Amino acid sequence: MGLRRCSGSPVGAATAAGGNMRLQSFPVPPLLLLLTGFCSGTSFPSNINIGGLFPTGSHEYEVFRFALAQHQDVPKLVPQVDMVDTGSSFAMTYAFCSQFSKGVYAIMGLYDRRTVNMLMSFCGSLHVCFVTPSFPVQTNNQFVLQLRPQLQEPLMALLEHFYWTRFVYMYSSDSGLTVLQRILDTAAERSWQVTSVNLDTMTEATFIKLLADLDYKKDFQVIINCELERLNYILNLIAAQKRNLKNYHFILANLGFLDLNITEFQKLAPNATGFQLVNRTNPAVEKINQEWMGFDSKDLKLTRKRLKYTGALTYDGVNVMVKAFQNLRRQRIDISRRGNAGECLANPPAPWGQGIDIQRALQQVRLEGLTGHVQFNERGHRTNYTLTVMELSLKGPRKIGYWNEKRGYVNTAVYRPLTEELFGLLNKTYVVTTILEAPYMMLKKNHELFVGNEKYEGYCAELAAEIAKHVGFTYRLELVGDGKYGARDPESKMWNGMVGELVYGKADMAVAPLTITLVREQVIDFTKPFMSLGISIMIKKPTKSKPGVFSFLDPLAYEIWMCIVFAYIGVSVVLFLVSRFSPYEWQAEDSDEEDETVLSSASRRAPPTSSSEDPHSPGYSQTQTQNQNQQKEKEAPEHSNDFGIFNSLWFSLGAFMQQGCDISPRSLSGRIVGGVWWFFTLIIISSYTANLAAFLTVERMVSPIESAEDLAKQTEIAYGTLDGGSTKEFFRRSKIAVFEKMWSYMRSADPSVFVKNTNEGVIRVRKSKGKYAYLLESSMNEYIEQRKPCDTMKVGGNLDSKGYGVATPKGSALRIPVNLAVLKLNEQAVLDKLKNKWWYDKGECGHKDSGRKDKTSALSLSNVAGVFYILIGGLGLAMLVALVEFCYKSRIESRRMKELIDAAMMSTSLGGMAGGVGGVAAGSLSGGGSGRGGENGRVVAHDFPKAGAQGLPCMSKAAGRGLSSTGM
């Protein structure tokens, strides 16, 4: 390569200045003289030959001349232009080799798909830089600098923004093949349906036939990727067919949206989106454009048109060359071409040694041009650029966003309800599709007497009237043909129902209970929700449960009652044990009564006979011993304890019943037991009392299903949804385990659990006797619950959250004003008034809360019958226990009296034998007794009447007769 960079020595500076400076007289070394001569011989050229390859009369060539005329600074770019056919490989090869032999430093020009590979091969082999505003191609050839930005990423960003999954891609082979490859790769990954059409092989007739096929197949999403001239031709051809384009959405994959001639195309009100590279609102751009329109104005017969985006790219390309060579001159890099420039067709090729320096200089340029920020990557492609996204509105093109590499697509559209945008709304009758669904849309009872919109009534009928009044347009209500809301057929990919009528242009707006979903939002536009709701469960209203006899036990669960019983028994046992162990619970009994009993017994005792008074007699010694024992017992008092096991149970029961007891613990331990039991009973009784009123006054219905989980766990009750609606789609797409299980059941159920319409589902619920549950929107569920025969009910909460919205086709002029009207109606509470009117004010089952308040006013006998049963049962039990106690006590007393009588008779018999036969009767009747009858002396004269056996209540007749005979 050799040394090309000159040093900044004084000698070199003096030489470059032309020798005006006088050198000092001192000897100069030979090496310094050689270096000085070398640098002076390799000075940067003042004129730079630039090649040009342009078609004859092209716009880019005129801009190339204009740009070179704008730059007269050193180094000056001198053009070497050849007007060639860019589609001819021979002509392009000849022109390229001719310019290379003339020693051009770089070439600017155009190419097409037939010559691009040839140019790249020459540039890469000979190291000649080619700067082009033509369509970009995928290549790693660093010597080809492509000024036009690539469209793959911006176009893919728009497709994702608009949620396109099925569209037609029309392209020309020049600029569309690279984008087509990227679209096909993405379509394979995301299951898109893409139809590609090569415009190069189509004639005008075949293209018109293609438009008819698009209408027939409902392919309304179209991408057109070709150069400006052909794109203008295609748009004018579409406009000439006078087709209805309101359902179409075109994406024009071209960087000159404002350069298009779309006057006729705009009259059809299509939805068109495109890209704009040149920012015409920039003052610097406008200044250059004014200079361009005045360039060579004397030689022109017609006024120049504005700079196209390809011309702006050409202008920026010249600026890139100027700045690159200025940088090379500033860095004093040798790029001179001395001697023969070389032969381009040499084999092997002989690359130009200085070409790599020019390539680096061009690649490193950074500037702000007409096309925005100009910068190249290592492969020669534009980078860090920004594209403006445009939309064709009723007033013309307007900016809706922008795209750059850092942020992707950014939507900046600000829609204002301008009256100018609504000029077409007043002079057109819009078709509003709807569906018969009470209470949203219903036919009046005498609808045969009315015509048009007057035949209908309901929530949506009044909503459509309110929207039309606020926006200011006329409309006509039409029922959807197939009676469906709208779903996409998985096989044909076609939409049915109201969504299909909007997608395929049969209607302008849908006012109905149409759920806002993702798949629908991809093909139509929705307003803000006019009603919020969710999927709910409808079942047949079960019969009201009759209150049980023991319904007063319902406030507490069965487990709590069992725990209370065990607690009661446990506390009683603990209290009994504590009272037994604690000495403070024992007390001495009062012995006054015993003393009185002993004294009365002694007073009634007969004086001893002569035989018994003898201290040596056996009777006397026995009587003495008994008296001593009684004296000891009197001296040692007995201790008693009130808390036996029965008294402990009685104390616990009295405390639990909040009634108290006549005994209470004396010891600290017993009082602790009593205190915690009282606290326990306080809380339990308070909780019971708090819940008792609710359980006795509120009538409850036993529902077999309370939630979606209950439905999924059983198979006895069938359940289903509307066929072809958002509810079915929700279960089909859900990833929640419960809903997946429900969808698996519904899909495989036989007979089918899906219904054609909501009315069929309600009828099936009412006739199934509780064996079918219908899944539908909560708003409709609440409405049907208010309709006679009032035998359905909503159970559980909503399974999801969603909303109903007014739908319009994509890009419809009604979208923004209708959305604002819905928001205004919501803020003015008109929507709430409409719902109350059609749901509750016209309800046939009373207000949802009114019936409940009436039913809580009084209790019936059935609510408290169990209390009376317990009272009667308790009284009967008490009488039975009293009878048992009487019989038991009577039997005990009978035995005791019998034993006493037997003892008395025994004593009488023994006394008669000891005193003689003559004195027996007298001794008995006079009250005397033997020595062994001291304790039983009470049985004689003082205890028994003189009537003998007749005075003894428990004495048998035989005993009476025996006593009488003895007395006799």
Side-chain angles (χ1 to χ4, degrees):
M1 296 293 291
L3 182 63
R4 300 191 302 274
R5 187 181 301 274
C6 297
S7 63
S9 63
V11 175
T15 304
N20 294 328
M21 295 181 61
R22 184 178 297 275
L23 299 176
Q24 297 181 1
S25 58
F26 58 87
V28 180
L31 182 60
L32 184 59
L33 290 175
L34 180 61
L35 181 61
T36 302
F38 178 77
C39 289
S40 62
T42 58
S43 60
F44 198 89
S46 59
N47 293 329
I48 303 296
N49 291 329
I50 298 298
L53 300 176
F54 297 99
T56 304
S58 64
H59 174 72
E60 292 77 13
Y61 170 67
E62 296 296 330
V63 177
F64 180 70
R65 291 178 49 244
F66 166 70
L68 291 178
Q70 298 289 314
H71 299 284
Q72 299 296 330
D73 300 335
V74 178
K76 182 180 180 182
L77 301 185
V78 179
Q80 301 288 336
V81 180
D82 286 330
M83 310 304 292
V84 296
D85 179 10
T86 56
S88 172
S89 297
F90 175 79
M92 289 289 288
T93 301
Y94 181 82
F96 183 89
C97 291
S98 174
Q99 293 190 0
F100 181 75
S101 63
K102 295 177 182 178
V104 296
Y105 290 86
I107 301 175
M108 174 172 282
L110 303 176
Y111 54 71
D112 69 1
R113 59 183 177 85
R114 293 164 292 186
T115 58
V116 58
N117 293 327
M118 178 272 298
L119 278 175
M120 289 186 179
S121 177
F122 276 126
C123 293
S125 300
L126 302 177
H127 290 189
V128 176
C129 292
F130 188 81
V131 182
T132 177
S134 295
F135 58 88
V137 292
Q138 294 291 341
T139 177
N140 293 324
N141 192 336
Q142 58 185 346
F143 290 95
V144 178
L145 271 71
Q146 303 180 32
L147 293 166
R148 188 185 302 189
Q150 294 182 331
L151 267 179
Q152 290 94 316
E153 296 302 328
L155 184 58
M156 298 305 298
L158 271 188
L159 293 178
E160 293 179 0
H161 174 73
F162 292 127
Y163 298 104
W164 282 19
T165 57
R166 176 186 176 184
F167 54 89
V168 177
Y169 179 71
M170 302 180 182
Y171 67 97
S172 64
S173 301
D174 290 338
S175 57
L177 289 176
T178 305
V179 178
L180 175 62
Q181 184 61 45
R182 176 62 187 278
I183 289 177
L184 294 178
D185 294 341
T186 307
E189 297 175 359
R190 304 185 183 181
S191 301
W192 288 356
Q193 290 186 338
V194 181
T195 303
S196 60
V197 178
N198 190 345
L199 297 174
D200 295 337
T201 60
M202 302 193 71
T203 62
E204 181 176 334
T206 55
F207 185 79
I208 294 175
K209 185 177 182 300
L210 173 64
L211 295 178
D213 292 339
L214 294 182
D215 282 339
Y216 177 76
K217 297 179 180 179
K218 310 302 181 184
D219 288 329
F220 297 137
Q221 297 172 339
V222 181
I223 301 175
I224 305 178
N225 186 357
C226 56
E227 297 298 321
L228 273 177
E229 290 75 12
R230 174 167 288 183
L231 185 56
N232 272 321
Y233 171 75
I234 290 175
L235 295 181
N236 291 328
L237 189 58
I238 295 175
Q241 305 305 311
K242 303 297 182 181
R243 295 181 178 273
N244 183 8
L245 300 181
K246 65 177 182 179
N247 297 318
Y248 280 86
H249 187 183
F250 295 93
I251 294 182
L252 308 180
N254 191 281
L255 296 177
F257 191 82
L258 298 179
D259 299 332
L260 294 171
N261 182 13
I262 54 177
T263 304
E264 296 298 326
F265 183 70
Q266 183 180 351
K267 293 180 180 179
L268 302 178
N271 184 13
T273 308
F275 302 95
Q276 178 64 25
L277 181 61
V278 180
N279 183 10
R280 293 187 176 182
T281 61
N282 190 344
V285 175
E286 186 61 26
K287 179 182 177 181
I288 298 297
N289 186 71
Q290 294 297 330
E291 295 177 355
W292 153 252
M293 297 181 70
F295 177 66
D296 285 348
S297 59
K298 296 180 181 180
D299 300 333
L300 294 176
K301 297 181 181 180
L302 299 176
T303 306
R304 290 185 183 275
K305 295 182 180 180
R306 295 183 61 93
L307 274 173
K308 300 179 181 178
Y309 83 96
T310 54
L313 290 172
T314 305
Y315 186 88
D316 286 345
V318 174
N319 287 339
V320 168
M321 287 185 171
V322 170
K323 189 170 183 179
F325 286 111
Q326 287 177 351
N327 292 336
L328 289 172
R329 183 175 184 274
R330 190 178 302 110
Q331 298 172 10
R332 298 184 180 179
I333 296 178
D334 180 22
I335 61 170
S336 60
R337 303 186 66 173
R338 297 176 300 276
N340 187 8
E343 177 60 40
C344 68
L345 298 178
N347 190 14
W352 175 35
Q354 287 76 18
I356 189 66
D357 293 319
I358 297 177
Q359 184 271 332
R360 290 174 181 171
L362 291 171
Q363 184 178 320
Q364 293 173 0
V365 169
R366 307 285 190 274
L367 58 85
E368 297 297 328
L370 299 181
T371 59
H373 182 73
V374 180
Q375 181 180 347
F376 302 96
N377 58 18
E378 64 278 358
R379 295 183 301 171
H381 297 164
R382 282 282 292 270
T383 183
N384 291 335
Y385 56 91
T386 299
L387 297 180
T388 302
V389 180
M390 307 293 293
E391 181 184 66
L392 185 60
S393 66
L394 296 175
K395 295 180 62 178
R398 65 177 176 183
K399 178 181 177 181
I400 62 172
Y402 64 89
W403 181 94
N404 57 34
E405 294 180 359
K406 294 181 179 179
R407 302 185 60 184
Y409 175 67
V410 179
N411 187 21
T412 61
V414 177
Y415 296 98
R416 299 180 177 88
L418 300 177
T419 56
E420 293 86 353
E421 296 183 359
L422 306 178
F423 70 92
L425 300 182
L426 303 177
N427 300 324
K428 179 180 178 181
T429 300
Y430 284 84
V431 177
V432 177
T433 181
T434 186
I435 189 172
L436 288 179
E437 192 76 75
Y440 300 98
M441 188 66 65
M442 301 174 290
L443 288 172
K444 293 181 179 179
K445 294 182 180 180
N446 53 348
H447 62 88
E448 298 86 358
L449 304 178
F450 300 94
V451 294
N453 301 339
E454 298 298 325
K455 296 188 299 182
Y456 304 99
E457 65 176 357
Y459 180 93
C460 287
E462 295 190 13
L463 176 61
E466 290 288 342
I467 292 175
K469 182 175 67 175
H470 281 75
V471 177
F473 66 91
T474 57
Y475 68 98
R476 182 179 71 256
L477 290 174
E478 288 189 2
L479 298 179
V480 60
D482 55 6
K484 295 184 178 181
Y485 288 90
R488 190 176 186 181
D489 187 82
E491 297 181 358
S492 63
K493 306 300 180 182
M494 301 293 290
W495 286 90
N496 58 20
M498 291 181 288
V499 177
E501 292 196 351
L502 292 176
V503 171
Y504 305 132
K506 297 180 180 179
D508 301 293
M509 187 168 64
V511 182
L514 191 61
T515 307
I516 302 173
T517 62
L518 174 62
V519 292
R520 290 174 178 172
E521 187 73 40
Q522 292 175 352
V523 294
I524 59 177
D525 288 330
F526 281 99
T527 64
K528 293 295 187 293
F530 61 80
M531 183 180 294
S532 297
L533 61 147
I535 298 175
S536 63
I537 304 173
M538 173 192 289
I539 64 171
K540 184 175 178 60
K541 186 179 296 184
T543 57
K544 297 178 180 178
S545 60
K546 296 181 179 180
V549 175
F550 298 100
S551 59
F552 63 90
L553 298 176
D554 293 339
L556 299 181
Y558 171 79
E559 295 83 1
I560 297 180
W561 286 115
M562 294 302 299
C563 292
I564 290 175
V565 172
F566 289 131
Y568 164 70
I569 298 174
V571 168
S572 301
V573 172
V574 170
L575 182 61
F576 169 74
L577 295 177
V578 166
S579 300
R580 289 293 172 184
F581 289 128
S582 177
Y584 299 101
E585 292 292 346
W586 294 90
Q587 59 179 344
E589 291 185 352
D590 191 3
S591 59
D592 294 341
E593 296 180 358
E594 294 180 0
D595 295 342
E596 295 175 358
T597 303
V598 173
L599 291 175
S600 63
S601 177
S603 65
R604 291 194 303 268
R605 189 176 298 126
T609 59
S610 59
S611 61
S612 62
E613 291 177 353
D614 187 4
H616 299 284
S617 63
Y620 178 82
S621 61
Q622 184 177 1
T623 303
Q624 190 67 22
T625 303
Q626 291 178 355
N627 293 335
Q628 292 177 357
N629 292 337
Q630 291 176 0
Q631 186 67 22
K632 290 180 181 179
E633 291 176 359
K634 180 179 180 181
E635 293 177 356
E638 294 183 359
H639 289 78
S640 63
N641 193 325
D642 293 337
F643 285 94
I645 186 62
F646 291 106
N647 279 353
S648 298
L649 291 170
W650 177 249
F651 172 80
S652 300
L653 182 62
F656 183 76
M657 295 297 180
Q658 305 286 296
Q659 299 301 319
C661 186
D662 54 349
I663 59 175
S664 61
R666 294 186 178 90
S667 63
L668 178 61
S669 57
R671 292 179 178 180
I672 291 176
V673 175
V676 297
W677 177 244
W678 290 342
F679 175 78
F680 173 81
T681 57
L682 174 66
I683 300 302
I684 292 296
I685 296 301
S686 300
S687 303
Y688 174 81
T689 306
N691 289 338
L692 182 62
F695 275 84
L696 292 183
T697 57
V698 176
E699 293 185 359
R700 293 177 297 162
M701 292 180 291
V702 179
S703 174
I705 297 297
E706 294 293 343
S707 63
E709 289 78 6
D710 295 342
L711 278 178
K713 291 177 183 177
Q714 55 82 47
T715 56
E716 182 180 357
I717 300 177
Y719 49 91
T721 68
L722 180 68
D723 191 9
S726 61
T727 304
K728 181 180 178 181
E729 193 70 14
F730 166 79
F731 284 99
R732 190 177 70 85
R733 292 179 175 271
S734 178
K735 301 299 180 182
I736 301 176
V738 175
F739 300 152
E740 285 182 335
K741 185 176 180 181
M742 295 176 66
W743 170 247
S744 177
Y745 164 78
M746 290 187 289
R747 182 178 55 184
S748 59
D750 188 23
S752 175
V753 294
F754 299 109
V755 295
K756 296 180 180 179
N757 51 60
T758 303
N759 188 40
E760 180 182 341
V762 175
I763 294 175
R764 188 168 178 178
V765 169
R766 287 173 172 167
K767 292 184 177 181
S768 63
K769 298 181 180 180
K771 299 301 181 182
Y772 181 78
Y774 184 47
L775 300 165
L776 74 167
E777 281 80 3
S778 58
S779 58
M780 182 61 65
N781 200 347
E782 294 168 358
Y783 172 77
I784 297 174
E785 189 175 356
Q786 295 294 319
R787 301 289 104 185
K788 289 182 179 181
C790 307
D791 57 352
T792 64
M793 63 179 293
K794 172 187 174 184
V795 294
N798 295 341
L799 308 187
D800 66 341
S801 178
K802 53 189 176 183
Y804 288 152
V806 178
T808 57
K810 280 288 185 181
S812 172
L814 289 170
R815 176 179 54 179
I816 303 304
V818 169
N819 187 43
L820 295 178
V822 171
L823 292 176
K824 187 175 182 180
L825 292 175
N826 187 32
E827 293 176 356
Q828 295 176 350
V830 175
L831 299 180
D832 295 333
K833 293 179 182 178
L834 288 179
K835 183 171 183 180
N836 289 329
K837 174 183 177 181
W838 290 100
W839 263 257
Y840 305 115
D841 296 346
K842 294 189 177 184
E844 300 173 351
C845 302
H847 198 271
K848 57 182 179 181
D849 295 328
S850 60
R852 299 177 183 176
K853 293 180 180 179
D854 296 336
K855 295 176 183 177
T856 59
S857 59
L859 293 176
S860 62
L861 180 60
S862 59
N863 294 111
V864 293
V867 180
F868 289 94
Y869 292 158
I870 289 180
L871 176 61
I872 297 173
L875 295 178
L877 179 63
M879 295 180 65
L880 180 62
V881 171
L883 179 61
V884 171
E885 287 180 346
F886 175 77
C887 294
Y888 175 76
K889 192 65 176 179
S890 298
R891 186 173 183 180
I892 296 300
E893 289 295 327
S894 174
R895 289 180 180 179
R896 188 176 67 84
M897 295 302 294
K898 183 178 181 180
E899 291 175 356
L900 291 176
I901 293 172
D902 291 344
M905 293 179 64
M906 183 69 67
S907 299
T908 304
S909 299
L910 291 176
M913 293 175 64
V917 175
V920 171
S924 299
L925 297 172
S926 63
S930 65
R932 297 179 57 88
E935 180 64 25
N936 297 326
R938 292 177 296 178
V939 184
V940 291
H942 296 285
D943 291 337
F944 301 103
K946 294 181 180 181
Q950 295 177 357
L952 299 175
C954 299
M955 186 181 296
S956 63
K957 293 182 179 181
R961 287 194 300 270
L963 183 59
S964 300
S965 62
T966 305
M968 292 175 65

